């Protein structure tokens, strides 16, 4: 058991969950939420802060400032508290209340932006506010996760090698797309690997990271209202987009089996399971998806009935999902379990655990 003196010194990177009995297809989920920041963003935050310190950008009088929908803000709050820096997180109304309270508990200031930008998102307004702060006082230091190479470099050095060590025969990797730091770091690493690995980016419907029309997005952590400056699409083999309703259904399906994950994970797993359902009809692949965090911070959103009904209506869990609930309860979710004989007095057969992809696929 390790003994540490700084909270950022511990990060469990070798835990994977086999999701085949839940998703109905072979898929391993890399869990990145087991550290004191609770998410994969600890890696990028640590890399960016240490680089800024080495380059002399950060001094004892500096005030760290960053735009974040939540997880990076928590990671920087933790690091700043440990190292003695002040930190101001600029976020927006989609940030979970528990996340904001956590940052404040760690001694950080939180500024919530209420106005939306021209794409219907908050990112542009958050960035404008950060820039105005930096222009007003030279003590403010903006690490800029959107443009900082340390964001992707952290995953090139850690996340991708951790996957490669456990799965030397990896065929396909599913990565959620936000700032695209995780995506670009892993894609660059596997481009140089000993065998070809298909890199599939998973985005939210309504995000414009890879083009397309902007739309409403209520679940933080995935998607962008602008093209990510770090993104180089030449490293990405395919992009799939997931509706938020499918994200929520997948989160609840995993929770019914005891795995409580965040919204980003629900999006990635939903997209990956649809993709694999089609591909595995022809061949069995070794597939890994990355889970950025756990689900405790989403209890008042993704897992809160009133929030779900207000935003997505009373029928967010459709008849197919209700049938899966009964099937899970009666069979324990086993992929090889016999059909459910009766639901509501009517003989029924359970539908497949995977939906047809119906996503735009890149050439």
């Amino acid at each position: 058991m390790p003994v540490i003196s700084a909270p950022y010194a511990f990060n469990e990177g070798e835990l994977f969950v086999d999701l085949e009995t839940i998703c109905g297809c072979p898929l391993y989920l890399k869990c990145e939420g087991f550290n004191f920041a609770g998410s994969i963003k600890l890696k990028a935050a640590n890399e960016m802060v240490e680089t800024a310190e080495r380059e002399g950008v950060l001094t004892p009088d500096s005030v760290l400032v960053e735009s974040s929908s939540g997880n990076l803000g928590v990671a920087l709050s933790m690091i700043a508290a440990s190292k003695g820096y002040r930190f101001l997180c600029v976020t927006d109304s989609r940030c979970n209340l528990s996340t904001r309270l956590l940052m404040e508990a760690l001694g950080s200031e939180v500024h919530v932006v209420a106005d939306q930008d021209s794409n219907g998102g908050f990112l542009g307004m958050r960035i404008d506010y950060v820039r105005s702060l930096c222009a007003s006082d030279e003590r403010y230091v903006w690490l800029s996760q959107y443009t900082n190479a340390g964001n992707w470099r952290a995953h090139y050095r850690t996340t991708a090698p951790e996957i490669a060590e456990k799965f030397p025969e990896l065929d396909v990797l599913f990565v959620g797309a936000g700032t695209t730091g995780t995506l670009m770091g892993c894609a660059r690493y596997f481009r140089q690997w000993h065998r070809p690995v298909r890199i599939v980016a998973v985005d939210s419907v309504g995000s414009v990271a890879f083009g397309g029309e902007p739309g409403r997005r209520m679940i933080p952590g995935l998607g962008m209202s602008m093209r990510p400056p770090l993104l180089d699409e030449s490293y990405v083999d395919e992009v799939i987009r997931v509706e938020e309703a499918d994200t929520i259904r997948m989160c609840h399906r995993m929770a019914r089996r005891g795995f409580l994950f965040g919204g980003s994970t629900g999006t990635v797993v939903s997209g990956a399971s649809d993709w694999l359902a089609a591909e595995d009809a022809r061949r069995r692949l070794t597939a890994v998806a990355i889970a950025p965090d756990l689900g405790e911070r989403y209890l008042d959103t993704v897992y809160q009935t009133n929030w779900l009904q207000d935003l997505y209506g009373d029928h967010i869990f459709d008849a197919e999902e209700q049938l899966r609930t009964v099937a899970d309860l009666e069979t324990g979710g086993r992929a090889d379990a016999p059909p459910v004989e009766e639901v509501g007095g009517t003989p029924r057969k359970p539908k497949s655990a995977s939906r047809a992809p119906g996503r735009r696929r890149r050439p």
Side-chain angles (χ1 to χ4, degrees):
M1 178 179 295
V3 176
I4 62 173
S5 57
Y8 50 85
F10 171 76
N11 192 0
E12 173 56 62
E14 298 183 354
L15 179 62
F16 294 79
V17 175
D18 185 346
L19 293 179
E20 184 164 8
T21 59
I22 299 174
C23 298
C25 54
L27 179 63
Y28 296 96
L29 188 64
K30 188 180 194 302
C31 301
E32 290 283 350
F34 292 98
N35 56 59
F36 284 97
S39 82
I40 196 171
K41 289 294 188 177
L42 176 61
K43 292 176 173 178
N46 202 33
E47 179 78 22
M48 291 189 295
V49 168
E50 288 187 349
T51 299
E53 288 175 331
R54 286 195 303 269
E55 294 176 351
V57 175
L58 278 175
T59 68
D61 294 330
S62 295
V63 180
L64 281 167
V65 61
E66 185 57 80
S67 161
S68 170
S69 62
N71 280 339
L72 183 71
V74 172
L76 286 173
S77 293
M78 187 195 74
I79 292 172
S82 177
K83 290 176 174 283
Y85 296 115
R86 288 177 56 198
F87 173 57
L88 169 61
C89 181
V90 181
T91 187
D92 59 66
S93 56
R94 295 178 306 171
C95 179
N96 299 320
L97 175 60
S98 59
T99 300
R100 299 202 300 267
L101 293 174
L102 179 53
M103 287 188 280
E104 291 171 349
L106 290 166
S108 298
E109 300 174 62
V110 180
H111 178 82
V112 180
V113 170
D115 296 329
Q116 294 181 318
D117 56 32
S118 58
N119 281 330
F122 295 94
L123 180 57
M125 303 304 293
R126 289 183 353 214
I127 291 176
D128 287 346
Y129 186 82
V130 171
R131 285 175 173 156
S132 68
L133 284 177
C134 293
S136 69
D137 192 327
E138 63 182 9
R139 291 177 300 170
Y140 284 106
V141 174
W142 181 25
L143 297 175
S144 183
Q145 62 167 323
Y146 311 104
T147 60
N148 194 320
N151 190 347
W152 68 259
R153 196 163 51 235
H155 304 289
Y156 182 92
R157 294 194 306 103
T158 61
T159 309
E162 288 163 359
I163 295 170
E165 181 180 0
K166 294 293 183 180
F167 297 93
E169 300 302 315
L170 182 66
D171 293 305
V172 56
L173 177 64
F174 298 93
V175 188
T179 65
T180 67
T182 306
L183 175 65
M184 288 293 96
C186 291
R188 282 186 167 93
Y189 180 90
F190 284 110
R191 177 66 62 88
Q192 303 168 354
W193 209 34
H194 70 91
R195 56 173 288 150
V197 174
R198 190 164 188 82
I199 302 297
V200 179
V202 185
D203 200 7
S204 299
V205 170
S207 166
V208 300
F210 295 90
E213 293 296 320
R216 185 187 74 164
R217 292 180 293 111
M218 300 304 300
I219 301 175
L222 207 64
M224 292 275 279
S225 57
M226 68 178 190
R227 179 181 173 83
L230 293 176
L231 176 61
D232 183 343
E233 289 193 61
S234 68
Y235 287 95
V236 180
D237 296 300
E238 192 167 337
V239 177
I240 52 180
R241 293 179 171 88
V242 176
E243 296 278 359
E244 285 193 336
D246 291 330
T247 292
I248 291 162
R249 292 178 187 123
M250 181 57 72
C251 284
H252 282 255
R253 194 193 310 181
M254 290 188 289
R256 287 199 305 270
R257 301 296 305 280
F259 293 108
L260 195 72
F261 286 107
S264 299
T265 301
T267 303
V268 174
V269 173
S270 177
S273 62
D274 283 353
W275 191 95
L276 289 166
E279 292 296 321
D280 265 26
R282 296 189 295 273
R283 61 194 180 105
R284 191 174 181 86
L285 301 170
T286 298
V288 171
I290 297 176
D293 60 7
L294 301 178
E296 289 90 342
R297 295 174 193 169
Y298 300 82
L299 293 177
D300 56 351
T301 54
V302 171
Y303 297 100
Q304 215 281 330
T305 301
N306 291 338
W307 188 87
L308 294 175
Q309 290 178 339
D310 288 345
L311 291 174
Y312 303 99
D314 294 334
H315 303 292
I316 179 65
F317 299 109
D318 57 21
E320 179 182 2
E321 195 67 16
Q322 292 171 13
L323 185 59
R324 287 196 192 102
T325 300
V326 176
D328 282 350
L329 289 174
E330 295 194 8
T331 69
R334 298 189 309 277
D336 59 347
V340 177
E341 293 298 331
E342 187 172 306
V343 178
T346 303
R348 296 282 298 277
K349 289 184 178 181
K351 296 181 181 180
S352 167
S354 300
R355 296 176 294 281
R359 317 284 188 213
R360 181 181 69 84
R361 298 179 67 174
R362 293 175 56 81

